[in-house]
């Protein structure tokens, strides 16, 4: 089992460009999440999907959109990248969306917007 | 106010020393869960432990132990006889029933960077 995979691992964008970060999990988990990690800020939730067909905003959703393509895949799109979106992005999944479910994380995507 | 506070930003210890990472949380819920994650230099977060609010028993797993005290809203993590491989950023996280953004959200502390010097 690969667990949670993310592509790409690194990306450099110019301001205004768009891109989609891909995430897939092979653990048959129902819930998936996108976080960003900035120095000294911990992890902040961007969007999550409690189950296939549903998505909800997290703490910092502005400037992002998501698509839960199927049970395995959850993508994050930046329509018009800004330097403030320079960050490391993590995708995670959990079996359910209850408060007891631990999340499993992918390796991250390091994004730089110039 | 932060819901999860990890006051120690960085800690350095010499190999074989014991080290405790502090975590203080804030919640009005009576039912909640606390988690610890490890982020080694490779970057991927690894789940270490989960504890629910009704179980205050201390947990020991090899060199790792966790002390949960509701009276002080703390969930501290101790590594005994530290090793270089323990060098990582450690995150404490809180899971509550209702946290504002949707029906469920895991709130992370800002992390403590542990460096174990050989």
């Amino acid at each position: 089992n690969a667990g949670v995979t993310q592509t790409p691992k690194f990306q450099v964008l110019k301001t205004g460009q768009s891109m989609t970060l891909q995430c897939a999990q092979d653990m048959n988990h129902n819930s998936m999440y996108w976080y960003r990690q900035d120095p000294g800020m911990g992890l902040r939730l961007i969007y999550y999907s409690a189950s296939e067909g549903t998505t909800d905003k997290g703490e910092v959703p502005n400037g992002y959109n998501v698509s839960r393509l199927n049970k395995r895949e959850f993508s994050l799109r930046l329509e018009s990248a800004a330097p403030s979106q320079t960050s490391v992005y993590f995708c995670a999944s959990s079996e359910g969306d209850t408060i007891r479910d631990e999340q499993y994380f992918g390796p991250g995507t390091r994004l730089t917007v110039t | 106010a932060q819901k999860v506070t990890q006051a120690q930003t960085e800690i350095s210890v010499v190999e074989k020393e014991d080290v405790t990472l502090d975590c203080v949380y804030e919640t009005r819920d009576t039912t909640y869960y606390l988690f610890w994650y490890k982020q080694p230099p490779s970057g991927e977060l690894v789940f270490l432990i989960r504890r629910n609010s009704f179980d205050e028993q201390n947990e020991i797993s090899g060199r790792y132990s966790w002390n949960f005290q509701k009276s002080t809203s703390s969930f501290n993590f101790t590594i005994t006889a530290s090793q270089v491989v323990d060098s990582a950023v450690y995150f404490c996280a809180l899971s509550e029933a209702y946290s504002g953004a949707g029906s469920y959200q895991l709130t992370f502390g800002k992390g403590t960077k542990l460096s174990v010097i050989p």
Side-chain angles (χ1 to χ4, degrees):
Chain A
N1 283 355
V4 179
T5 57
Q6 293 182 235
T7 55
K9 284 190 167 49
F10 300 94
Q11 184 71 48
V12 178
L13 290 178
K14 289 184 166 36
T15 297
Q17 287 184 318
S18 62
M19 80 161 295
T20 300
L21 280 63
Q22 307 287 354
C23 173
Q25 52 89 12
D26 63 1
M27 296 175 281
N28 201 35
H29 283 172
N30 290 304
S31 302
M32 298 185 73
Y33 313 83
W34 276 105
Y35 291 89
R36 60 179 288 172
Q37 183 179 25
D38 301 294
M41 296 292 290
L43 278 83
R44 293 182 292 169
L45 183 66
I46 304 171
Y47 271 93
Y48 69 98
S49 170
S51 61
E52 189 178 352
T54 70
T55 60
D56 283 289
K57 295 178 180 179
E59 182 185 352
V60 288
N62 291 345
Y64 306 95
N65 285 301
V66 291
S67 295
R68 184 74 182 267
L69 305 168
N70 47 55
K71 190 171 185 179
R72 289 187 64 247
E73 297 172 288
F74 189 38
S75 62
L76 178 72
R77 182 158 178 85
L78 287 71
E79 290 291 351
S80 179
S84 61
Q85 294 177 305
T86 293
S87 188
V88 181
Y89 291 86
F90 287 97
C91 178
S93 70
S94 62
E95 188 171 351
D97 70 334
T98 70
I99 64 171
R100 72 178 303 277
D101 287 288
E102 69 268 25
Q103 296 179 16
Y104 294 86
F105 286 79
T109 294
R110 188 173 291 275
L111 175 67
T112 302
V113 183
T114 61
Chain B
Q2 292 180 51
K3 287 197 172 185
V4 180
T5 301
Q6 294 180 255
Q8 304 148 308
T9 306
E10 293 193 41
I11 302 175
S12 288
V13 298
V14 177
E15 201 170 19
K16 297 184 184 174
E17 286 185 346
D18 299 346
V19 58
T20 295
L21 310 182
D22 298 332
C23 173
V24 173
Y25 63 92
E26 179 186 329
T27 180
R28 286 182 286 185
D29 286 353
T30 54
T31 302
Y32 53 90
Y33 281 77
L34 294 159
F35 300 80
W36 276 95
Y37 285 85
K38 174 182 180 180
Q39 185 177 39
S42 58
E44 191 165 333
L45 277 88
V46 177
F47 165 72
L48 293 177
I49 191 171
R50 170 186 56 216
R51 174 63 85 225
N52 75 56
S53 52
F54 299 107
D55 182 2
E56 287 194 72
Q57 264 194 317
N58 288 339
E59 176 104 5
I60 298 175
S61 176
R63 296 184 297 106
Y64 294 173
S65 62
W66 291 268
N67 180 261
F68 175 33
Q69 292 196 330
K70 285 176 75 170
S71 60
T72 56
S73 296
S74 65
F75 186 41
N76 296 337
F77 173 27
T78 297
I79 302 174
T80 303
S82 60
Q83 299 177 2
V84 173
V85 293
D86 296 327
S87 296
V89 180
Y90 291 87
F91 291 95
C92 179
L94 168 69
S95 172
E96 308 166 275
Y98 297 100
S99 60
S103 62
Y104 163 65
Q105 182 171 322
L106 191 61
T107 304
F108 285 84
K110 295 185 178 181
T112 296
K113 182 177 181 180
L114 174 65
S115 298
V116 181
I117 303 161

